[in-house]
Amino acid sequence: MTLWWAIAALCAGCYALKLAGLAAPQRVLDHPVVRRFAELVPVALLAALIAVQTFTEAGEAHFDPARTAGLAAAVVALLLRAPFLVVLFGAAAVTALARLLLG
C-alpha cells in the first residue's frame, strides 16, 4: 500500500509544480535567468536519459556496441538535419543490423 501512497504523492507534486508554473507572474517568466534555465534543462535531462539508457543495463555500467552504433547513427542523422522519424528509424535500423551482425 505504501507504493500507492508514493504514487499519489508524486502525482500531487507534479500537479502542484504545473500549477506553480501557470501561476507564476509574467515578469518572473521573462527574467533572462529563468528563460535560459527553461531552455537548457530539457536538453540536459534528455541527454542524461540517453546516456543512462545507452550505457547501463540492470543498474550497472555496460557497453553495448549495438546501442552505441544506433546512437552514433542518430547523431549523424541529426547533424545532417534529418527529420525526426528518419533519425528514429535510422538509429533503430543500425541497432538491429549491429545486433544481427554481432550475434
Side-chain angles (χ1 to χ4, degrees):
M1 191 62 171
T2 58
L3 175 66
W4 288 109
W5 284 110
I7 292 172
L10 286 172
C11 289
C14 288
Y15 184 76
L17 188 61
K18 179 74 171 179
L19 187 61
L22 293 173
Q26 191 64 36
R27 63 179 169 78
V28 172
L29 298 175
D30 288 338
H31 193 276
V33 174
V34 174
R35 292 179 73 82
R36 186 73 174 149
F37 180 80
E39 290 172 0
L40 294 179
V41 166
V43 175
L45 290 174
L46 183 59
L49 177 64
I50 289 169
V52 167
Q53 291 296 314
T54 303
F55 300 114
T56 63
E57 188 171 305
E60 296 180 5
H62 176 72
F63 180 76
D64 183 2
R67 287 185 196 171
T68 307
L71 179 61
V75 168
V76 168
L78 286 171
L79 289 174
L80 295 173
R81 301 208 180 264
F84 177 72
L85 288 177
V86 173
V87 173
L88 187 67
F89 287 123
V94 168
T95 302
L97 184 63
R99 290 203 191 285
L100 182 68
L101 294 176
L102 297 174

